Each structure stands twice: as C-alpha cells, then as structure tokens.
Amino acid sequence: MRIRITYQKYGALLYTSTLDVQTIWERSVRRAGLNLQYSQGFHPQPRIQIANPLPLGFIGSHELIDIWLADEFNSAEIINLLNSALPEGMQVLEVEIIEENGPSLPKQIEASQYRVDLLNTDDNPDKISVLAQDILTKDVLPRVRNRKSYDLRPLIQALEVQISESGNTVILLKMPSNSSQTGRPEEVMAELGIPMEDFRVTRTNLVFSGKYA
Amino acid sequence: MTDKDSIQTFLDRYLLTITKPGRYVGGEFNQICKDWEQTALHFAFAFPDVYDIGLPNLGMSILYDQINQREDALAERAYAPWEDMEMLMRSHAIPLFSLESKQPLRNFDVIGFSLPYETLYTNMLNMLDLSGIPLHTDERTNDDPLILAGGHACFNPEPMHAFIDAFVIGEGEEIIHEVAEVFKAHKRAGEPRIALLKALDTLPGIYIPSFFEVEYQSDGLIKEIRNIEKPEKSYIQKRIVKKLPKPVTNFLVPNVKAVNERAVIEIMRGCSRGCRFCQAGMITRPVRERPAAEILEALEESIQSTGYEEVSLLSLSSSDHSQIADIIPQVMQMSESKNVSFSLPSLRVESFGPELIASMQGKRKGNFTIAPEAGSDVMRTRINKSIDSQDILDTATQIFKMGWTNLKLYFMIGFPDETLEDVQGIVDLTRQVRSIGKQLVGGRVKIHISVNTLIPKAHTAFQWLPFSEKESVLEKYRLIQSGLKNTGIKLDWPDYDNSMLEIWLSRGDRRLSAVIEAAWRGGARFDAWHEYYDVNIWQQAFESTKIDPDFYSTRSRCTEEILPWDHIHTGVSKKYLLNELEKSRALETTADCRQVCHGCGIQANYAISCENIRTGVQ
Ligand code: SF4
C-alpha cells in the first residue's frame, strides 16, 4: 500500500540533507517494524519518494513523503509506529492512504511557501518593507550564484513583510520548487541585505501544481 | 543565560556557516539524555577525531552504554570539532560542549578520552584547551574534571603522561563502574584531588602516571622507573573481563554520514595465533568467545533497535571462533530474511575451509581480502604466520571459483632479517594469484595489494627492533613496483614520513610529552588525516625540545634496555616475547595456543584457565 506522510523536520534534524533523510526514513520504517516495498531488479531500491528536497538548515513544518509498504495497517497505527521510531526532530502529523499507482509525488509539486523569521530584535521592519516593495517593483533582479548569473525576480511569486505576534519581523515568501526551477529564500534575504546568521527559514507548505491540486 | 543556553543560541545562529553542521548537534536515535540536575555523576566520553570517525567507535559505545545503565550516572559525548568549527568556537568564546545536553565539558566530573591510536594525541590536547581545562595534570584543581584515557594506544601511556590523570590499562567494562564508585565517594566526601587519585590507584588496571618517576642515564636510556607513591607496586597489570558482557545493541544511529553505519557485534576478543608483529594479538589475550546464540540474538536485537541496513561481526580472527561454521550460515539467513546486508572482516586463510567460502557465496559482490603479510614462506615462519604460499594460492583459487573477481592482498615489509628475495616473494605470489584469477574469471580479475612497513610495536616480540631506514624501504618498494609493472595490479604503500608519527609516539617515553605539546602549539591537528599531518611541525617540535626523533624510530634496542612501557604489563611476559624473538631468528614457529599452551604468562598472571575462559566455562 502507498501512503503519503505529512511530517515536520526541526531541531537536530535541521542539518540533515535530503539524501540522509531518505536513509532516516528507511531505518525508521525498519525500527517501526514495518516493511518497505522494494523495486524489482538487480539492485532493489526501497520505494520512497520525497516530495521536494528541503535545504540544510530549513525547518519543515509540512513536509511530504510517499512510501510503499508491504504491510496493511490503518493510518492511526502507522502514525504511532513511526513516531516511536523516528529520531528527535522528525515527527509524523498525518498519514493518508493513497492510490498505489497515482502520479509520482515530486512531479506534483510546483512551489514552496516559506516563512523567514528575523532573529535580531533591532531589525527595522519599515526599512525591510521598503526594500521588499522595491524588489517587487523591479522587472529584473540579476544575481550571481555558483558563478552563474540569473534573474531572481521571476522566482519571487510572493513576498510580504509582517510583524509576528511576538513582535519580530517575519517575511513570507512563495517561490517555485519543481524540476525546472528552484527559488532560494536565502537569495532574497541576500538581496535584502540580511546575513545568514540573522534569520531562520521555515518551509510552511508545499504547493501542488494546478493539475493535481 | 546559562552556559548551556548560550551554547544552544550560538549553534542556532552560526552552525549553518560551517561545513557539515550535523556533526555538532547530537540527537541521534538511541541517544540517551538524562536529567543533569537529578543525576549524581556526570561522565563525558570524548573521541579526539571528527564526529564521522568517532561515532562508530565500538569502545566508546560500550562505555556510553555501561555508564548510562547506571541510575546514578549519565554519560554524554564529545568529538573533535573540525577546523572551521574550532575557529568559530574560539572567536565566540564557546567552550567544547557535549552533544547531548550541550553542557561545557569542563562541567563534567570525569572526561574519558578514547585513544585507540597515537595520531589522535594532538587533537586530545586541543579538546582540553577548547574546554578550558588545564593541559597538565599538575595544574588541575578540584574544580577540574578527572581526565581519564583508555584504548589500545594507552598500552604505552608514557608519551601522554603529562596530560592524563589516570589511564585505564586494558578492558573498560568493569573498571568504569569502579571508577564511578570511587568518584561518587570522593564527591560526597569533598576531598582534595590527590585523595581521589590515591583511591583510584587502588583499582587494578588504573595507572596514575604522576605516582611514577622515570630516571634516565646520560646516554638517554632509562635508568629506572619507580613508583614514588607505593614503591612496592612496581607495575600495572592490564584489566580483563573474564566473561564478555552482553554486547551493546542500541547503537547510536547518526543523522548525517559516518564512516561506518552498521550494527557491529564483537564475536570474540583476543587471538591465539601469536603473529610476532601483531600488537592487538598480544594485548587482548586471552581469547574469549561469545556463544553463537548470544551473537544471533544480539544481531537481531540491534537491527530492531537501530534499523541499520548492514550488520557486521567483529574480532581479530573471526574464522577462529569455535562455532563459526554455525554462526555464518545463520547470520546469512537472518540478513536475507530481514533485508539487511552482512559483512565479515578478518577471515584468515589458515582456518578458512572451502565450506566457509561457499557459505558466503551470496556476498560475492565486494572485495575479498587475504593477508599473507609476507611474500616468502621463510619470512612467514619468522613472523609466525602459519601458512605457506600454497595455502594462499589454494584459497585464491577457491575464491575465484566461487565467482569473486576482486581480491585484495595485505603485505608488510621491514621485518627482521628480511632479504630482497623475501620482498621479491611478494611480487611472485601476487603475480601467481593474478594468473590463477585470469584463468578462472578472465579479464575481469582485479588484484589490489597494499604493502605497509612494519612498525615494531610495544608488547610484541619485535618491540626491540628498529624501524627500517628510509633508503631500505624505498629500495624494497621500487623492487615491488618494477616487478608488478604492466600487470594491472594496483599497489598501495604509505608515505615513509607519514608513518613516522605513529612510530615515535608508539615507541616513545615521557620526554615526548613536551614534543606533543610543542607540535600542538605549532598547529598540529588531525594527524590521522594524511592531508593534515605535517611532518615539518613535528620535526620542529623535536628540534625545539632538543629531542632526537631517531632515538625512538630507527635505533635498535638491546634486550637488557629498560623499555618505556616496562611497568605496563599485558599479562604476556617479557620472557615469552624474548623467546619469540629468538625463535623468529632461529626460524621456529609457535603453534596456535588453542592446541598447546606455550606459557605466555596469561594463565599464570590471571590465575585462569585459557581453555575455560575461551568458551565461557567459569
Ligand atoms: S597462557 Fe597459554 S593458552 Fe593462554 S594465551 Fe598464553 S600461550 Fe595461549
């Protein structure tokens, strides 16, 4: 059976890459006493699909993964089994049993929504709002990454500056994350002149493309 | 803010600015976090290399498990920060901290350093320094943690004597509890530090270097090693456990890559073969086997508790386990049914029947490894490796017949009385193995040989021998290289200078403490990493301390000489080692002592029967 898991990634797990997250799922499933299905062939691979890689250091509050199990259990049982087998920093919120042969999960994802929390209390929200507005009025935003130049502007699908309940400045972003384009929140932050150690990014949502929504 | 909070805040802020930040956060599955305030005794176990290397260390896993099993104690871990993290920590004045509770290491009661090999010494000093703990034992006060060290390198503790309060010589499973009890009583009584050291000194297997004094002659040789605390106690005998305790199964499962990620069950400790160059074989005597049922159960339990996709059996010579023929097929079966892979290193040609090879057929994918050690039958007699070239060729034939194509062979040069013919034997044997492979598996055959230079180690029959001169080593390598030309055989050998550090430190005396410190101050770190080890720093350290490095490396030692480690006893007598050296010269072998006891000293010194202890009859 194929299940879609909604989970959180935080704490000590922030620094674990997507490749290692895949290993963590395989091991957690084994510890939970569940059995993964394996692909056919000479080097059988466990059938796992991570929706979209979450960059190192980002909190994931609604991450998705599909796994194929060789067992039959109900969702509540699976949630319990997995949560007792996952390391600290990863937690299952929801398990949905889905169509075994439906479309691949990564292909369905179009974009990501992020929330960027600024850590310094002396950040000036007004100044940041002005800078953000400035970015939005521009037609092009040339940047260089890994010695390649590209235009950041079309990758910013939404950008909003807010004040959180606790009074800190928060930036909300929507950027593409699909096979043809990936927007990077830290590039927007660099454009706003805020260094890496002064903010923390949470991916709050994965946006499905219209076709699958 | 408490220390702990400021460390957490620092990590949250800055970890993303360095490489592999996952090394510094802990949080592994099976990590044990106890309440700091509610727990009386705080142990930290520290591995002086980077997290990825240190995490799989079995010795540390065992001690972590032992201490955390106690109600009254907690154990946490620390590893050496990589250079970018070290710089970051120093620039923010962040002390070295434990991964579990993010407590500064200096807040612990006891810090136990794991020293399996000598090239970790400078990292250990760096970790003390990063912790804000005085480097030298004589500068520490009651407010500083007790600095313990254990592991195979501690069988010659002298080069590190200035930095370590107490060494554990030998096996740690039982003594660590005795240390905990002594510490608890000490803490309750609030006595001065010296009282703690005196109390520890009563535990068999504990070596307090500050209680000993070494006097030198004008020629630099040792005149006398004496105990100034208790003159009647002239030596420390290594600690052994008579029965191996239940193996650890709840291994820490890292969230980022480590060098080994698998569940490892030690199936046997010690080795009865008596290879004359092998330090591990001497210092881990007597042999103790774990029963097959316990091994199987532990493997299953460890898969369950770790979720690892690979299991492995560990020992110096797995094929010598008396139940190995039962164990391997059962493990193979279990690994198949549970969808995990299985690796079994350290099989020996001499005890390696075709059935055993056949039973591992499913494993054909990887490399197969054979360690002939020497190229000629004569040299194998000298080193007491009881196989001849024909055995090796037969085994290779078996292996190729079973379908393996990649074979790795381990050799050494620099043995006593070695001739160029012996070295030529390496070439001939390797070429013969290759032609067998060609015949049986054709062009797919891949042979890889690795040739190391013998390091005559403390507590072996070869401990008196010099390390080979550079010219002679290079001549031998050139011979091998030209002999293997155009054969497609891959040849590895270590850089001569790269081996020097291990030689100096493993054969050194107390005067090397100053050299190690000077090297660390000169910037030496991560000496176990070839790309970081800088022989120039060490040469300068020797120069600045006016110590001659050759005194420890290429000088041959006379058998009357007092060796720096003579007051550390492994249970194997010096007389036995000397006799082994003479037998090597006389081209005599010593049979595996499971057949007949050669009186190495173990039975006498521990008042045990090796036969009973091996199989667990108490
Ligand atoms: S005492 Fe005898 S049987 Fe025991 S380890 Fe030594 S030689 Fe072997």
Side-chain angles (χ1 to χ4, degrees), chain B residues 359-479:
Chain B
S359 74
M360 300 195 45
Q361 223 177 347
K363 292 280 306 159
R364 222 170 18 222
K365 284 171 241 162
N367 272 316
F368 209 105
T369 303
I370 306 182
E373 312 290 6
S376 66
D377 289 346
V378 174
M379 190 48 73
R380 261 180 252 110
T381 304
R382 288 199 196 284
I383 65 176
N384 203 38
K385 180 93 187 170
S386 58
I387 41 168
D388 59 28
S389 296
Q390 196 52 51
D391 295 332
I392 294 160
L393 296 176
D394 291 346
T395 306
T397 309
Q398 285 292 337
I399 292 166
F400 290 125
K401 274 194 181 152
M402 291 296 169
W404 271 276
T405 54
N406 295 9
L407 194 59
K408 185 156 186 190
L409 302 171
Y410 281 99
F411 292 101
M412 276 193 268
I413 56 167
F415 288 126
D417 307 310
E418 186 174 64
T419 63
L420 288 180
E421 268 149 57
D422 295 315
V423 179
Q424 180 62 36
I426 295 179
V427 173
D428 299 341
L429 188 63
T430 307
R431 295 187 71 125
Q432 277 170 292
V433 167
R434 176 174 160 274
S435 31
I436 295 174
K438 276 231 139 142
Q439 267 172 32
L440 294 170
V441 300
R444 287 176 305 149
V445 62
K446 273 212 187 72
I447 312 285
H448 182 174
I449 75 167
S450 163
V451 185
N452 283 294
T453 308
L454 169 78
I455 298 181
K457 285 265 174 127
H459 307 291
T460 68
F462 292 163
Q463 64 180 348
W464 294 276
L465 301 175
F467 183 69
S468 305
E469 300 279 354
K470 191 167 186 168
E471 242 336 288
S472 130
V473 170
L474 291 181
E475 185 189 7
K476 290 168 184 170
Y477 279 135
R478 278 193 294 265
L479 181 71

Side-chain angles (χ1 to χ4, degrees), chain A:
Chain A
M1 83 177 172
R2 177 180 179 182
I3 57 173
R4 178 154 302 162
I5 301 169
T6 310
Y7 67 98
Q8 292 180 319
K9 181 177 182 272
Y10 54 92
L13 265 270
L14 285 183
Y15 308 103
T16 300
S17 71
T18 298
L19 200 66
D20 293 336
V21 166
Q22 156 114 13
T23 311
I24 289 177
W25 278 108
E26 290 174 36
R27 292 174 181 167
S28 299
V29 168
R30 190 173 288 120
R31 288 192 294 258
L34 298 168
N35 293 293
L36 283 168
Q37 285 185 30
Y38 285 79
S39 65
Q40 305 293 315
F42 197 64
H43 291 295
Q45 293 297 316
R47 297 188 65 193
I48 288 184
Q49 288 178 351
I50 293 180
N52 188 260
L54 182 66
L56 219 60
F58 286 22
I59 299 166
S61 63
H62 273 87
E63 293 297 299
L64 295 173
I65 183 172
D66 281 3
I67 63 178
W68 280 257
L69 292 176
D71 326 273
E72 296 292 331
F73 284 99
N74 70 38
S75 307
E77 286 167 332
I78 296 175
I79 294 179
N80 281 337
L81 287 170
L82 284 176
N83 275 338
S84 60
L86 280 165
E88 170 195 329
M90 216 137 95
Q91 208 194 353
V92 175
L93 301 175
E94 211 184 307
V95 164
E96 195 191 342
I97 298 168
I98 59 166
E99 170 55 35
E100 181 102 21
N101 298 314
S104 118
L105 176 59
K107 279 201 190 129
Q108 301 180 55
I109 305 298
E110 174 65 36
S112 296
Q113 287 173 320
Y114 303 96
R115 168 196 160 109
V116 186
D117 288 87
L118 301 197
L119 302 175
N120 288 343
T121 41
D122 55 355
D123 287 317
N124 181 342
D126 296 335
K127 207 180 105 200
I128 296 168
S129 286
V130 170
L131 284 172
Q133 275 314 311
D134 198 38
I135 287 177
L136 289 174
T137 53
K138 286 194 174 139
D139 292 332
V140 288
L141 211 53
R143 283 194 60 83
V144 177
R145 200 184 133 80
N146 297 337
R147 281 184 266 122
K148 273 201 208 123
S149 49
Y150 76 104
D151 184 5
L152 175 63
R153 182 60 192 88
L155 302 178
I156 305 175
Q157 297 168 327
L159 168 60
E160 211 181 303
V161 182
Q162 290 187 349
I163 306 290
S164 73
E165 312 87 61
S166 52
N168 282 2
T169 308
V170 169
I171 296 167
L172 301 180
L173 272 169
K174 183 179 170 198
M175 304 184 87
S177 42
N178 54 56
S179 54
S180 52
Q181 280 184 315
T182 300
R184 296 176 192 280
E186 62 273 30
E187 291 278 288
V188 180
M189 298 308 289
E191 204 54 39
L192 292 171
I194 303 171
M196 195 151 74
E197 54 268 34
D198 291 349
F199 62 86
R200 166 119 288 168
V201 187
T202 304
R203 174 150 75 183
T204 50
N205 221 348
L206 287 157
V207 183
F208 282 73
S209 80
K211 242 194 320 189
Y212 301 106

Side-chain angles (χ1 to χ4, degrees), chain B residues 54-63 248 251 264-266 314:
Chain B
L55 181 106
N57 183 268
L58 186 60
M60 200 156 133
S61 310
I62 292 173
L63 297 173
V248 177
F251 298 99
V264 179
I265 304 298
E266 186 186 22
L314 180 84

